[in-house]
Amino acid sequence: MKIGVIGAGKVGSTLAHLYVTAGNDVAIANSQGPDTLRDLEHQLGRHAHAVTVEEAARYGDVVIVAVPFCQFEDLPAEALAGRTVVDATNYVPERDGHDAELERGDVTSSELMQRHLAGAHVVKAFNAMRWDHLRDYGHSAGSNFRYGIPVSGDDPDAKWRVLDLVEEIGFEPVDAGPLVEGGRKYQPGTEVYTADLEADELRARIGVEAA
Ligand SMILES: NC(=O)c1ccc[n+]([C@@H]2O[C@H](COP(=O)([O-])OP(=O)(O)OC[C@H]3O[C@@H](n4cnc5c(N)ncnc54)[C@H](OP(=O)(O)O)[C@@H]3O)[C@@H](O)[C@H]2O)c1
């Protein structure tokens, strides 16, 4: 599969490594341009290349977004239309600035991203585990113990695609429902955020049944 990655910091570069290792082709971008990503491109190997944000957005059917949440309005909505956008971001007011709508709880951060990317299908995933645990905690298929990764989204096909992608890098996907409720269950401040739970325990804590 061809996967675009926007954001080449701790989370973006970690997921790029994991998906290249799993046999995918990755195009990765940051804000400063591809020439600043040559070392990372070299480390990722020949199945990855550094590109502009616009090129990463248009690269594949799936695009992972791993930028500070406050940058979401810079995402190229037209280029991302029709694609599955994996929202790995978190709203962190100290970094992102205060947003009254989010702080009242009227909306989740992924719904705001979905509002901006009206033609895309936003699926929230990978936001609730630390980047170094994402890097290190995947287990091969058939393993007795696997960490759960919660996934939420409104478009069923896009969500299935992301559930499969979670599985592909050694985690057990946990369907947490649509963005409106799913996002609330595992955002910063919730008990499961960065708790690194085995999948059944994660399901129990966020109140969902196994598929
Ligand atoms: N760190 C964690 O353990 C962790 C875990 C789960 C989720 N998250 C969330 O994931 C997101 C990324 O976190 P991180 O720790 O990976 O951050 P990071 O290491 O600071 O990396 C951020 C990346 O985003 C890029 N970026 C910033 N603004 C951009 C824009 N407008 N367009 C394109 N790229 C842009 C930066 O590029 P430049 O350097 O060129 O500006 C950088 O490559 C955040 O929302 C964070 O809350 C973090």
Side-chain angles (χ1 to χ4, degrees):
M1 185 186 280
K2 289 167 73 175
I3 301 175
V5 180
I6 300 177
K10 294 181 278 300
V11 174
S13 65
T14 296
L15 291 171
H17 272 288
L18 292 169
Y19 283 111
V20 165
T21 303
N24 301 281
D25 292 300
V26 165
I28 187 163
N30 64 359
S31 75
Q32 297 168 79
D35 284 343
T36 64
L37 292 175
R38 297 300 169 212
D39 287 348
L40 175 64
E41 185 180 52
H42 181 70
Q43 287 164 29
L44 289 170
R46 65 192 175 87
H47 287 287
H49 50 285
V51 296
T52 65
V53 170
E54 182 83 17
E55 288 166 336
R58 294 188 187 277
Y59 182 66
D61 291 337
V62 174
V63 182
I64 297 169
V65 172
V67 302
F69 174 72
C70 57
Q71 300 293 320
F72 79 94
E73 285 174 315
D74 278 357
L75 294 169
E78 198 188 315
L80 289 165
R83 301 174 206 274
T84 297
V85 172
V86 183
D87 175 16
T89 74
N90 288 303
Y91 167 58
V92 180
E94 302 74 35
R95 177 195 63 199
D96 297 321
H98 290 268
D99 181 296
E101 208 179 0
L102 286 172
E103 282 175 21
R104 282 195 306 272
D106 293 350
V107 71
T108 61
S109 57
S110 293
E111 289 177 281
L112 289 184
M113 187 179 290
Q114 178 68 81
R115 209 186 274 174
H116 172 62
L117 303 176
H121 307 299
V122 174
V123 178
K124 189 174 191 73
F126 301 125
N127 67 297
M129 181 176 273
R130 285 171 41 166
W131 71 275
D132 50 336
H133 292 184
L134 278 172
R135 180 191 64 194
D136 298 336
Y137 284 12
H139 284 73
S140 55
S143 160
N144 286 336
F145 178 92
R146 289 206 301 171
Y147 290 97
I149 296 275
V151 176
S152 56
D154 298 340
D155 181 86
D157 290 342
K159 186 157 64 176
W160 273 114
R161 193 169 285 148
V162 179
L163 294 169
D164 284 348
L165 281 172
V166 167
E167 180 103 45
E168 207 179 302
I169 56 170
F171 295 97
E172 188 163 329
V174 170
D175 185 344
L179 290 181
V180 62
E181 56 183 75
R184 279 181 216 288
K185 292 178 178 170
Y186 52 98
Q187 61 194 8
T190 59
E191 63 161 326
V192 303
Y193 180 72
T194 66
D196 296 338
L197 300 171
E198 190 269 337
D200 284 341
E201 178 66 17
L202 174 61
R203 278 190 202 93
R205 298 246 199 129
I206 65 176
V208 299
E209 304 280 325

